[in-house]
Amino acid sequence: NIVRELTNNKSVPKQERKLLMLEKSNRLRLEACLIKCCDRIDNLDSIIGEFSNNAVIRYIFESALLHRGISNSHNKARLGDSNADCTVDTWNKFSNEVSNVLNVLEAKIGAVTLNAIQKNIITEETVNKIQVLKISDNFDAAMDAFSKIEFD
């Protein structure tokens, strides 16, 4: 069920829970991808001014990795990967919507990043780190690099 697929285990420490959620994004079903992306898009609208600067930076990083993981999941389904857990009916029903919402999420991440730069919340160096994680061909390597970033 989709709710179970998107629910985090609250008994796990927050940092570990976030990493688990990001890792799981690489394996979400298309229906869950839609919900997760829409939730993230909505959350990105309100982070600046609501969160500390470090929380904004971390959230942008997480959003970029989430986008990458969901893109990977979508591409696996598109290519017919047997691990993608996607039937032809599901693909036909949700594929265009997932593609569209991924485009919106990417644009929203860019807009929030630009706003954070303009408000001196984030530096160009940090933006470059985000870009490296976003374009990494290896999702696991990107996750490993993210887990090693020190956030104050």
Side-chain angles (χ1 to χ4, degrees):
N1 128 353
I2 295 172
V3 173
R4 211 170 313 136
E5 190 172 354
L6 293 172
T7 301
N8 292 321
N9 182 349
K10 298 290 186 190
S11 68
V12 175
K14 186 175 182 178
Q15 176 69 14
E16 186 179 341
R17 192 170 61 232
K18 289 195 171 269
L19 287 173
L20 289 171
M21 179 272 302
L22 290 168
E23 289 170 1
K24 189 167 49 171
S25 71
N26 197 34
R27 299 180 307 277
L28 292 174
R29 292 179 296 147
L30 291 178
E31 302 96 318
C33 290
L34 276 172
I35 294 167
K36 190 65 181 173
C37 283
C38 289
D39 180 55
R40 186 54 64 129
I41 290 164
D42 184 59
N43 293 345
L44 281 164
D45 277 334
S46 62
I47 64 168
I48 294 182
E50 299 285 324
F51 291 4
S52 70
N53 287 357
N54 284 330
V56 168
I57 293 167
R58 181 174 193 83
Y59 204 78
I60 292 170
F61 267 97
E62 289 172 3
S63 297
L65 277 171
L66 178 71
H67 179 274
R68 185 71 183 141
I70 290 175
S71 294
N72 285 354
S73 182
H74 184 247
N75 286 334
K76 286 179 191 175
R78 181 177 55 82
L79 297 172
D81 185 324
S82 61
N83 294 323
D85 190 25
C86 180
T87 65
V88 172
D89 287 342
T90 301
W91 175 258
N92 290 336
K93 190 172 184 182
F94 293 108
S95 177
N96 287 337
E97 287 84 354
V98 171
S99 292
N100 291 339
V101 81
L102 280 168
N103 290 337
V104 172
L105 178 58
E106 185 170 25
K108 181 64 74 174
I109 292 167
V112 170
T113 301
L114 182 60
N115 192 2
I117 290 169
Q118 291 169 343
K119 294 184 180 208
N120 295 318
I121 293 171
I122 193 170
T123 65
E124 291 290 338
E125 179 184 344
T126 304
V127 171
N128 291 336
K129 289 179 184 178
I130 293 169
Q131 291 296 76
V132 167
L133 291 178
K134 275 182 62 176
I135 63 172
S136 173
D137 287 336
N138 185 326
F139 182 74
D140 292 332
M143 283 297 300
D144 186 54
F146 173 73
S147 69
K148 293 176 181 168
I149 294 172
E150 298 272 335
F151 295 95
D152 296 330

